[in-house]
Amino acid sequence: MTTFTNPVPAVGDPGDGPAARDGLCSSPAVHLRKSAHARSIDSVPDFDSGVDDEESSECTRGFGRATGTCAEPPPMFGDRGPAGALHVDDPGELIVAVPAMVGFVPERSLVVAVLGGASDPGRSPIIDAVVRFDLDHEGGRRGLAAACAECVTQICAAEGATEVLAVIVDDRAREPQRTHRHGAASTGPLGALIAAFARRLAAQEVYLEGAWAVRAIEADQRWWSLPDANHYGTLPDPATSMVAVAHVLEGRPIRAARSELTDLVATDDELVRQVAAHLDSARAIAHEGYAAAVRRGDPNGYHRRALEHLLWQIANTDSGACLTAREYAEVAAALRDRIVRDALFGLAIGDHAAAAENLWVALVRALSGSDRADAATLLGYSAYIRGDGPLAGIALQAALDADPVHSLANLLEISLRTGMRPDTLRRLAYCGLGIAADLGIDLGPAIR
């Protein structure tokens, strides 16, 4: 049996990198009975607001040292053996749970689940992390196997894991002909890919415990084992998956396709143009306001008013209001104040996280350059903390596309790519709460 519970968002999407990869949202527990043939694969600011940049920020100081080492084991959640675990008794049920585990219905993808606790005979292995790779890779099957194995072994090193499971979803796959001899049927190119992937894993003492293929994750679709084509079955209705139901009840969306995420952070070119027309004026007003506060000996007064304005706009957006181009520019100028920006990370663990994400999404679509990067970083961090790895990866990639040297976006992307647990990064949110409190503003209690 294998348990799935509270996995880390394993990997963010690197965009044009060697293989597009996505992370995983936190999920309820899933148990999967291992098949007997599982190891039959062959040996397998524009102005000074008191903080110059991310590097000197109170919240981010020392953060790079915590995230820069790929193999640094993240702290454990404690006893991760779930009391109320959901049980999955066959590979078909695992496969229909994949959309809930990655946050959307994957297509033409290799999905790898990293198992923790597999060496403990007294407990079921736990799926600690799930990572998705695009099957279409410019380096071909061999390049894909190498890229995937490198990423997975890094995560396994961080988790102290030695076993993984794999699911391939590919509408081009052909169900193999079967024979009466165990394992004799060929599983074609997908089988060859999995065999190459498994060999590379085994060279790093990580073992593939099971691998299955399916054309699409839909009710009544046929699945088959890649090590042994004579082991096959039919998918149940994904809508009835206990994992999917649990995700929906927890308010976690399962998107129909990954494109829904990329569309979420796509720029609105006309809105960007309109906002850009107001940015210089908004920044000049912000600069003048800060300078006046300094002359009065009350720079915190400026920070406090800027933060209060942003919180008001969060509530405004959450109520359904649409910001004007001038208001977007004013918000962008306020976010240039690093003290204000850092305080807003505190919202990621509180009651207002979802409302704040609504504004971050709106800003990502309306801004460009470093302003877009700041908003996308806030969005990526909030998604990361609540376990939405796919959205976190796409938001952080959007931040880096807009500003490749954005320090905090780079640090968070490294954390996501190397499988660092969300709990490890809560320090940034608590620091934000502290900054807001120092300004006399209560962002509310931490609830997650």
Side-chain angles (χ1 to χ4, degrees):
M1 301 283 286
T2 301
T3 306
F4 169 62
T5 181
N6 292 328
V8 62
V11 178
D13 191 298
D16 296 328
R21 301 169 292 197
D22 296 289
L24 168 67
C25 54
S26 296
S27 302
V30 176
H31 294 256
L32 175 71
R33 180 180 300 118
K34 294 182 185 177
S35 55
H37 64 276
R39 203 175 286 194
S40 63
I41 296 179
D42 219 14
S43 67
V44 304
D46 284 350
F47 60 94
D48 180 9
S49 63
V51 179
D52 291 334
D53 54 33
E54 289 93 336
E55 298 298 346
S56 60
S57 165
E58 178 185 351
C59 283
T60 59
R61 190 176 298 119
F63 182 52
R65 292 190 296 274
T67 61
T69 304
C70 289
E72 179 182 3
M76 306 299 282
F77 284 130
D79 183 7
R80 290 178 291 164
L86 302 175
H87 295 270
V88 177
D89 292 327
D90 65 63
E93 293 188 45
L94 173 69
I95 294 169
V96 297
V98 164
M101 290 193 282
V102 300
F104 58 89
V105 181
E107 299 175 341
R108 298 189 177 184
S109 300
L110 166 62
V111 180
V112 180
V114 175
L115 303 182
S119 60
D120 186 347
R123 62 187 290 192
S124 298
I126 296 170
I127 296 182
D128 274 334
V130 171
V131 57
R132 186 201 69 91
F133 301 88
D134 282 336
L135 282 178
D136 294 328
H137 183 260
E138 61 183 14
R141 302 286 184 178
R142 180 173 298 180
L144 176 60
C148 295
E150 180 181 2
C151 174
V152 171
T153 53
Q154 284 184 338
I155 296 170
C156 287
E159 293 294 301
T162 60
E163 296 181 356
V164 301
L165 302 173
V167 174
I168 287 181
V169 184
D170 191 350
D171 61 303
R172 301 161 297 186
R174 293 185 178 181
E175 192 173 354
Q177 296 294 319
R178 297 181 174 88
T179 72
H180 296 295
R181 292 185 297 154
H182 181 75
S186 170
T187 52
L190 296 184
L193 168 63
I194 284 295
F197 174 58
R199 284 193 296 270
R200 290 180 178 272
L201 290 178
Q204 301 298 320
E205 298 184 343
V206 175
Y207 302 100
L208 189 63
E209 289 295 315
W212 302 274
V214 67
R215 290 174 57 84
I217 302 180
E218 300 171 352
D220 300 325
Q221 281 282 340
R222 300 275 285 185
W223 61 263
W224 61 93
S225 168
L226 289 168
D228 177 8
N230 291 319
H231 182 219
Y232 57 92
T234 302
L235 293 185
D237 186 350
T240 65
S241 163
M242 290 299 294
V243 181
V245 170
H247 269 63
V248 171
L249 291 176
E250 289 178 1
R252 300 177 184 275
I254 301 174
R255 302 167 182 91
R258 184 177 177 277
S259 60
E260 291 186 13
L261 290 173
T262 55
D263 291 346
L264 192 67
V265 300
T267 55
D268 182 330
D269 292 338
E270 176 58 25
L271 181 57
V272 169
R273 185 189 65 76
Q274 294 175 14
V275 173
H278 297 281
L279 277 173
D280 287 345
S281 174
R283 290 169 185 165
I285 292 171
H287 185 281
E288 182 180 341
Y290 179 72
V294 171
R295 289 193 296 269
R296 294 192 304 269
D298 183 27
N300 279 349
Y302 171 83
H303 302 315
R304 181 168 53 254
R305 288 187 294 274
L307 180 56
E308 287 173 341
H309 177 69
L310 274 162
L311 295 174
W312 179 81
Q313 289 291 22
I314 288 171
N316 195 29
T317 303
D318 191 47
S319 68
C322 293
L323 274 63
T324 65
R326 182 181 297 276
E327 288 174 322
Y328 277 121
E330 291 170 351
V331 170
L335 280 176
R336 290 266 176 136
D337 181 337
R338 295 308 183 199
I339 290 178
V340 172
R341 192 277 317 266
D342 285 354
L344 291 168
F345 284 103
L347 295 173
I349 57 174
D351 276 325
H352 308 296
E357 284 191 27
N358 289 337
L359 180 58
W360 309 152
V361 167
L363 289 170
V364 168
R365 295 179 60 81
L367 302 174
S368 62
S370 61
D371 295 319
R372 171 174 161 88
D374 281 343
T377 301
L378 284 162
L379 175 62
Y381 177 74
S382 186
Y384 195 150
I385 287 296
R386 65 178 171 80
D388 192 341
L391 177 56
I394 287 170
L396 292 172
Q397 187 58 50
L400 294 174
D401 288 343
D403 182 2
V405 296
H406 195 284
S407 301
L408 188 51
N410 272 292
L411 291 171
L412 289 171
E413 194 277 335
I414 291 170
S415 302
L416 189 67
R417 175 161 42 86
T418 56
M420 183 167 284
R421 295 182 177 281
D423 269 10
T424 312
L425 304 178
R426 288 170 65 88
R427 170 191 169 188
L428 183 58
Y430 282 114
C431 185
L433 294 176
I435 291 174
D438 289 343
L439 296 175
I441 297 175
D442 182 3
L443 296 182
I447 63 170
R448 65 182 186 187

